[in-house]
Amino acid sequence: MAAIDKSLYEKFIIESVDGSKTVDISAGVVSFNYFENLYSPMITARAVVVNTGNTVRGDDGKMQSLYNGFPLRGGERVVIKIAGNTRTNKGLDFSDSPSKYLYVGSITNVLVTSGKETFTLNLVSREAITNETVRVGKRFPSSQKISDSVDDICKNYLSTNKLYDVDETQNPYGFIGNMKKPFTLMTWLASKSVPASASKEDATAGYFFFETQKGFRFKSIDQLID
């Protein structure tokens, strides 16, 4: 196969917020874009779905369109597995554990007619949903390293164990959360972080907090360049 060949959707299952309905929409996904960004604390994806006919039984017992019958309103869980289409392109897998599932952040470009519906699912990781509902009010001690504070925020506020790659910081920093969102705090702390591996004379502040398929990373800019 060639890299220009179509993607192979092994799984593309959407589950309602209350868990009562699941639908395999792999046949209706006409476009899928996945993004990782050093400047974004979360992974994002965008799926364009075209569906024909009534495929979901609504609350009234009648078959309805996916958008209205599900209904799709945001917060739904999505299980995705896309096979690699070349030896080097290994595909994407967000299906092997609940912690990796993606969630519907919003639905846009909705067009529903009598026989066809088209819409775009804007997907994010679960922690992005949690980030919108959680605020950090804790006082962090001035004796604590920034990398330890980032670990604390991820575990105790985002409730995630996906912080897998952290460059230790040498500088302690005390602060108050001031009821800010976890992602806001950690990207702010990134600008103040100095890597532990740097000498005092050569130390330069600057980190990235971002997410990949494997999890969250808090990485020194100097070490990324090296």
Side-chain angles (χ1 to χ4, degrees):
M1 299 182 72
I4 61 173
D5 289 340
K6 293 195 299 184
S7 297
L8 305 174
Y9 298 114
E10 295 186 357
K11 292 181 182 179
F12 216 112
I13 300 169
I14 187 166
E15 180 182 306
S16 61
V17 175
D18 61 6
S20 64
K21 301 175 184 177
T22 59
V23 177
D24 185 346
I25 62 172
S26 56
V29 177
V30 297
S31 173
F32 182 77
N33 293 277
Y34 169 74
F35 305 95
E36 294 179 1
N37 191 330
L38 283 172
Y39 298 102
S40 173
M42 60 187 175
I43 56 176
T44 59
R46 185 171 61 245
V48 178
V49 181
V50 176
N51 184 48
T52 57
N54 295 325
T55 57
V56 180
R57 191 172 300 279
D59 295 335
D60 59 0
K62 297 180 180 180
M63 298 302 292
Q64 300 182 32
S65 68
L66 178 61
Y67 180 77
N68 291 318
F70 213 62
L72 287 174
R73 297 298 182 265
E76 295 82 8
R77 189 163 70 174
V78 185
V79 180
I80 300 172
K81 186 175 183 180
I82 303 175
N85 56 6
T86 68
R87 183 172 298 177
T88 56
N89 181 17
K90 297 182 179 180
L92 295 168
D93 190 356
F94 296 102
S95 68
D96 58 349
S97 71
S99 65
K100 290 189 176 181
Y101 297 163
L102 297 181
Y103 286 75
V104 178
S106 63
I107 305 102
T108 55
N109 303 322
V110 179
L111 179 61
V112 179
T113 62
S114 58
K116 182 179 178 180
E117 60 181 352
T118 304
F119 51 84
T120 300
L121 298 176
N122 301 297
L123 307 175
V124 294
S125 54
R126 192 272 302 165
E127 290 79 7
I129 303 292
T130 303
N131 180 68
E132 295 302 314
T133 61
V134 171
R135 299 294 182 271
V136 181
K138 176 180 175 180
R139 176 188 291 274
F140 292 79
S142 57
S143 59
Q144 182 166 288
K145 293 180 179 179
I146 293 179
S147 52
D148 292 333
S149 296
V150 169
D151 183 73
D152 186 344
I153 294 170
C154 279
K155 289 179 178 177
N156 297 312
Y157 291 91
L158 289 178
S159 301
T160 184
N161 59 358
K162 287 163 58 179
L163 184 64
Y164 86 103
D165 190 4
V166 177
D167 289 341
E168 183 183 359
T169 58
Q170 65 173 260
N171 55 318
Y173 188 78
F175 63 97
I176 300 174
N178 283 332
M179 303 308 293
K180 293 182 179 179
K181 297 177 183 179
F183 283 169
T184 300
L185 277 179
M186 289 187 286
T187 52
W188 170 68
L189 289 171
S191 66
K192 301 179 179 301
S193 299
V194 178
S197 58
S199 65
K200 296 292 184 179
E201 296 78 14
D202 298 330
T204 303
Y207 272 56
F208 287 121
F209 177 76
F210 59 102
E211 186 182 10
T212 68
Q213 289 183 64
K214 293 182 178 180
F216 293 100
R217 307 180 71 183
F218 191 66
K219 299 292 292 180
S220 160
I221 295 174
D222 288 345
Q223 292 192 25
L224 284 172
I225 292 173
D226 290 341

